[in-house]
Amino acid sequence: MKILVLGAGKMGSFFLDLLSFDHETAVYEKDPKRMRFTYNCQRLTTLDEVRDFAPELVINAVTVKYTIAAFEEVLPYLPADCIISDISSVKTNLKEYYESTNHRYVSTHPMFGPTFANLNQLSEENAIIISEGDYMGRIFFKDLYSRLGLNIYEYTFEEHDKTVAYSLSIPFVSTFVFAAVMKHQDAPGTTFKRHMRIAKGVLNEDDYLLQEILFNPYTHDQVSEIRDELKELLDIIDNKDGERMKGYLTKIRNHVKRDIERIK
């Protein structure tokens, strides 16, 4: 298959490395410097080269802020039967956009990234394939993610956004709160250092990505739950209520028990 990857960033390069030995691959990137470490693929810098390459599948791996803009730029140069796809963690407005293009499409979300995941060992990571879209496109990504050992889930666009609101907004907001109130420690403890590593990774993410995840329409209720839990915990602390503290710890241990048991 002839596959064009849009963007030579970390995830774009990851997909090129993954696909280039089994498929004819090319990358379209306006900044030639970002293609210095790509190999075994064609390096395209003009739209005429995109047209000449005539891909059968496009994987849009640009920064989430420019996902639709990147599609808009290359669509006039793609064959009519080319499948277009994205790997964006934010799917806002994508369903409506895809349905306006007259192209077959597939949308997926590898729920890992270069910040935290070991890209050589992904058996504990997950991927979402949107159940709406082209059947053969979904099969392609299902086979690809299966070979990586990823745990695969199929959701609609709406179900995906609800999942992201839970799985990303809660840890992101928790990290924001930690970073906002922390003070420098010359001799930090182990737990503090672990939180700092997480904060470093989250705060290194693209600002627009963080914004769009938090502006997800399903995020508000998740953040409200954090506020309610903090209010309850603060009341227990203010009253130095040992029995309520014990009950609170029992509640949260039971709440996460099943997930903690799965952590190796």
Side-chain angles (χ1 to χ4, degrees):
M1 180 183 288
K2 298 181 73 173
I3 301 174
L4 173 66
V5 175
L6 304 181
K10 292 178 180 178
M11 288 304 288
S13 297
F14 170 72
F15 273 90
L16 286 167
D17 292 347
L18 188 63
L19 296 166
S20 62
F21 289 98
D22 297 315
H23 302 275
E24 185 179 350
T25 57
V27 56
Y28 174 60
E29 171 62 62
K30 294 180 180 179
D31 182 359
K33 292 181 180 179
R34 300 191 75 188
M35 296 191 288
R36 285 179 298 179
F37 304 109
T38 58
Y39 62 96
N40 202 36
C41 68
Q42 296 185 42
R43 303 175 184 184
L44 314 181
T45 56
T46 69
L47 292 167
D48 286 337
E49 290 175 312
V50 170
R51 180 177 54 210
D52 294 340
F53 181 68
E56 300 167 79
L57 171 68
V58 169
I59 300 176
N60 190 336
V62 304
T63 303
V64 63
K65 183 177 182 179
Y66 301 108
T67 300
I68 291 179
F71 277 138
E72 288 282 87
E73 184 178 14
V74 301
L75 276 181
Y77 299 85
L78 300 180
D81 60 350
C82 178
I83 300 173
I84 58 176
S85 72
D86 74 279
I87 56 170
S88 175
S89 55
V90 177
K91 305 296 185 185
T92 307
N93 299 324
L94 274 175
K95 180 180 180 181
E96 293 78 10
Y97 176 76
Y98 277 132
E99 292 177 348
S100 73
T101 65
N102 295 319
H103 275 270
R104 292 185 293 160
Y105 70 86
V106 57
S107 185
T108 75
H109 179 187
M111 296 188 70
F112 59 88
T115 300
F116 293 116
N118 178 357
L119 298 182
N120 295 313
Q121 177 57 43
L122 296 171
S123 60
E124 295 182 9
E125 305 294 343
N126 304 312
I128 293 174
I129 297 176
I130 301 300
S131 57
E132 300 151 281
D134 183 74
Y135 174 76
M136 293 308 297
R138 298 201 308 272
I139 292 298
F140 174 86
F141 279 98
K142 189 172 184 178
D143 176 68
L144 178 65
Y145 292 155
S146 294
R147 286 192 282 115
L148 290 173
L150 292 166
N151 302 297
I152 301 169
Y153 301 88
E154 291 199 29
Y155 296 149
T156 64
F157 278 105
E158 182 179 11
E159 289 168 340
H160 168 271
D161 287 349
K162 288 180 179 179
T163 298
V164 168
Y166 176 77
S167 65
L168 292 182
S169 64
I170 288 179
F172 280 9
V173 169
S174 300
T175 299
F176 290 171
V177 172
F178 168 77
V181 302
M182 66 145 290
K183 297 179 181 179
H184 172 72
Q185 299 290 314
D186 290 324
T190 301
T191 302
F192 188 93
K193 288 190 290 185
R194 288 177 178 173
H195 277 287
M196 276 304 302
R197 282 196 291 270
I198 293 173
K200 178 182 177 180
V202 170
L203 295 175
N204 279 338
E205 293 284 4
D206 178 77
D207 285 0
Y208 186 83
L209 171 64
L210 297 174
Q211 171 186 298
E212 289 303 292
I213 287 171
L214 294 182
F215 288 176
N216 179 321
Y218 301 102
T219 294
H220 175 271
D221 291 347
Q222 302 296 340
V223 178
S224 293
E225 287 190 29
I226 295 176
R227 179 185 59 195
D228 293 342
E229 290 298 320
L230 287 173
K231 183 178 179 181
E232 179 181 357
L233 185 57
L234 185 60
D235 188 62
I236 293 171
I237 293 169
D238 287 344
N239 288 285
K240 296 182 174 58
D241 192 328
E243 284 302 310
R244 283 181 67 198
M245 187 76 247
K246 182 177 179 180
Y248 188 81
L249 291 173
T250 299
K251 180 187 78 170
I252 61 175
R253 284 184 177 123
N254 288 336
H255 188 68
V256 299
K257 180 179 179 181
R258 187 175 67 173
D259 291 288
I260 286 178
E261 289 173 347
R262 294 169 59 185
I263 297 175
K264 297 179 181 179

